């Protein structure tokens, strides 16, 4: 057994080693998280990206002390999630993937109640609620009953609830699932603003590739309970996926001939033929295209159209795992976000 003092990294907000969670369902063992090593520094905004069932929520639930790891270790905000769960909870906010209840309280009262649940005095909770309402532009939301708010307004209130006790670390499980593009954009701006204002470390999960790409400084790809990628979106795309060059030629015969020539000249390229279309996955596609067109022209192939697209995080995932993230999205679009309160944390720890 590794002594915890060896693992302890006081400068890191999150540090896990071989974090593992197995569930037993009937006679079957589900390996939800399999030896996950993850370090997040203070002030980072990290997105956990992965298909349905990858283990994202289970990871967050262990890090927030909602469920105990089967094995391995995790330190969050300097405390051991297993040995010191209360200290962890005091320092974190958690906005879960589950369904929030339809509350009859006003937004502002809901915020105060939440602060009280975290042990704040009524006065402190009121002051903090007023500060959050002002700084996160929630005045329109604060005086309405929570049950009357739109999905987007509700989520912005959820984020404020996660911040009521001024945690240094905020976990959000799929904060934008089910929101329309405008509300997603609003929520993203909201998250960026709260980091700027409070320096909060943010760890969120998402199915939205563009969200991970544009919002997060760092993307941790998770598949089958393991980390399969961990870097900035730009570096992941540069290192793990090439550009896509799509050519349309006159006939399927021309396409086959083109593919053979391209494959011979560029052994690193992945070349597929679909009818009279040739798709090439290759590094530096924009630079390669003119040469490629000249070569096909000299071989007597007429290229009708040519398009180069930059790789997406989906291409990265596909390259690393053989699976597209887009395949696993069905069924998750409408699950609303809810806030897990401190009561839930206490009961299930
Ligand atoms: N309480 C549980 N009991 C049994 N199996 C569970 C439990 N919670 C999660 N699992 C299983 O663990 C695996 C990981 O689930 P998890 O919810 O962590 O995935 P996820 O990445 O959050 O997926 P999604 O994108 O759909 O939210 C899945 O196979 C899931 O069915
Ligand atoms: Mg989940």
């Amino acid at each position: 057994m590794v002594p915890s003092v060896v693992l302890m990294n006081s400068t890191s907000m999150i540090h896990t080693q071989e974090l593992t969670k197995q569930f037993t369902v009937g006679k079957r063992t589900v390996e939800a998280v399999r030896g996950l090593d993850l370090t997040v520094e203070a002030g980072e905004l990290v997105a956990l990206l992965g298909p349905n069932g990858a283990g994202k929520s289970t990871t967050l639930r262990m890090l927030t002390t909602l469920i105990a790891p089967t094995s391995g270790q995790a330190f969050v905000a300097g405390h051991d999630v297993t040995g010191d769960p209360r200290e962890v909870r005091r320092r974190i906010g958690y906005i879960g993937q589950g369904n929030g209840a339809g509350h009859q309280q006003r937004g502002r009262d809901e915020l105060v109640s939440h602060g009280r649940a975290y042990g704040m005095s009524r006065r402190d909770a009121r002051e903090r609620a007023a500060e959050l309402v002002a700084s996160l532009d929630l005045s329109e939301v604060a005086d309405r009953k929570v049950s009357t708010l739109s999905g987007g307004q509700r989520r912005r209130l959820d984020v404020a609830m996660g911040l009521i006790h001024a945690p240094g670390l905020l976990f959000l499980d799929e904060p934008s699932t089910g929101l329309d593009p405008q509300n997603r954009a609003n929520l993203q701006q909201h998250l960026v603003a709260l980091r700027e204002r409070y320096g909060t470390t943010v760890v969120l999960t998402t199915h939205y590739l563009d969200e991970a790409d544009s919002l997060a400084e760092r993307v941790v790809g998770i598949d089958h309970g393991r980390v399969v990628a961990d870097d900035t979106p730009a570096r992941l795309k540069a290192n793990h996926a090439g550009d896509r060059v799509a050519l349309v030629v006159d006939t399927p015969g021309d396409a086959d001939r083109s593919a053979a020539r391209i494959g011979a000249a560029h052994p690193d390229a992945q070349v597929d033929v679909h009818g009279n279309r040739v798709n090439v996955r290759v590094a530096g596609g924009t630079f390669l295209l003119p040469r490629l067109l000249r070569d096909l022209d000299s071989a007597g192939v007429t290229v009708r159209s040519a398009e180069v697209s930059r790789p997406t995080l989906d291409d990265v995932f596909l390259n690393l795992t053989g699976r597209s993230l887009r395949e696993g999205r069905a069924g998750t679009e409408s699950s609303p976000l809810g806030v897990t309160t401190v009561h839930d944390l206490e009961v299930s720890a």
Side-chain angles (χ1 to χ4, degrees):
M1 167 111 183
V2 182
S4 59
V5 71
V6 171
L7 243 184
M8 185 72 177
N9 181 346
S10 58
T11 61
S12 299
M13 260 299 180
I14 298 172
H15 189 66
T16 77
Q17 192 166 357
E18 287 288 311
L19 191 64
T20 299
K21 181 69 188 179
Q22 296 175 345
F23 294 104
T24 307
V25 185
K27 288 186 179 155
R28 214 163 58 89
T29 301
V30 179
E31 294 189 82
V33 177
R34 302 194 287 177
L36 189 112
D37 294 328
L38 178 70
T39 302
V40 175
E41 303 301 341
E44 281 193 289
L45 199 166
V46 178
L48 305 187
L49 185 67
N52 288 139
K56 304 180 298 293
S57 296
T58 305
T59 300
L60 286 203
R61 299 185 77 221
M62 285 191 280
L63 296 178
T64 52
T65 78
L66 278 165
I67 53 172
T70 308
S71 62
Q73 288 181 296
F75 287 87
V76 173
H79 294 272
D80 183 344
V81 293
T82 310
D84 229 354
R86 264 173 203 283
E87 291 302 317
V88 172
R89 283 179 222 145
R90 281 180 50 198
R91 290 166 171 80
I92 63 171
Y94 173 57
I95 299 162
Q97 191 177 351
N99 188 355
H103 301 292
Q104 290 306 305
Q105 286 205 93
R106 292 182 316 151
R108 188 183 303 273
D109 299 333
E110 189 77 6
L111 278 173
V112 174
S113 305
H114 208 68
R116 298 277 290 147
Y118 270 102
M120 297 171 80
S121 71
R122 182 167 297 281
R123 190 173 154 196
D124 286 352
R126 278 205 183 122
E127 273 177 21
R128 175 74 176 159
E131 186 190 324
L132 286 169
V133 166
S135 67
L136 299 177
D137 203 17
L138 286 170
S139 48
E140 188 197 330
V141 165
D143 295 317
R144 284 171 50 190
K145 281 185 183 173
V146 176
S147 56
T148 69
L149 300 177
S150 74
Q153 291 168 329
R154 175 80 166 259
R155 272 163 218 219
R156 286 171 50 206
L157 183 66
D158 284 341
V159 172
M161 284 197 218
L163 291 172
I164 191 75
H165 57 303
L169 172 59
L170 183 63
F171 292 98
L172 304 107
D173 200 353
E174 294 197 26
S176 29
T177 293
L179 292 187
D180 63 35
Q182 191 179 346
N183 273 319
R184 275 171 64 196
N186 284 346
L187 184 74
Q188 289 174 14
Q189 280 169 12
H190 195 68
L191 288 174
V192 169
L194 82 86
R195 276 185 77 217
E196 278 170 10
R197 247 165 236 146
Y198 301 108
T200 314
T201 309
V202 179
V203 177
L204 57 87
T205 70
T206 184
H207 283 264
Y208 295 112
L209 298 153
D210 52 341
E211 177 168 87
D213 204 339
S214 61
L215 185 66
E217 292 147 353
R218 193 175 143 204
V219 170
V220 177
I222 298 193
D223 192 34
H224 295 304
R226 288 202 177 98
V227 173
V228 294
D230 182 353
D231 214 330
T232 63
R235 276 204 295 265
L236 285 175
K237 288 185 287 184
N239 295 341
H240 296 289
D243 293 336
R244 197 171 74 92
V245 181
L247 305 173
V248 179
V249 294
D250 268 343
T251 63
D254 280 354
D256 285 336
R257 267 198 310 141
S258 307
R261 283 188 83 89
I262 296 167
H266 307 283
D268 292 344
Q270 289 169 33
V271 190
D272 300 299
V273 174
H274 304 277
N276 63 338
R277 292 167 184 274
V278 185
N279 288 328
V280 186
R281 172 83 56 199
V282 67
T286 41
F287 298 104
L288 209 67
L289 184 62
R291 202 180 337 148
L292 215 133
L293 293 178
R294 277 197 302 274
D295 181 50
L296 293 180
D297 191 46
S298 67
V301 174
T302 306
V303 176
R304 296 285 165 201
S305 75
E307 192 182 297
V308 181
S309 35
R310 309 295 293 174
T312 64
L313 286 177
D314 195 44
D315 297 322
V316 172
F317 220 83
L318 190 63
N319 243 359
L320 288 168
T321 68
R323 291 203 292 157
S324 166
L325 279 169
R326 295 182 200 283
E327 288 161 10
R329 280 175 53 178
T332 61
E333 295 298 293
S334 60
S335 69
L337 183 86
V339 168
T340 298
T341 68
V342 74
H343 305 297
D344 299 316
L345 294 168
E346 297 287 358
V347 170
S348 31

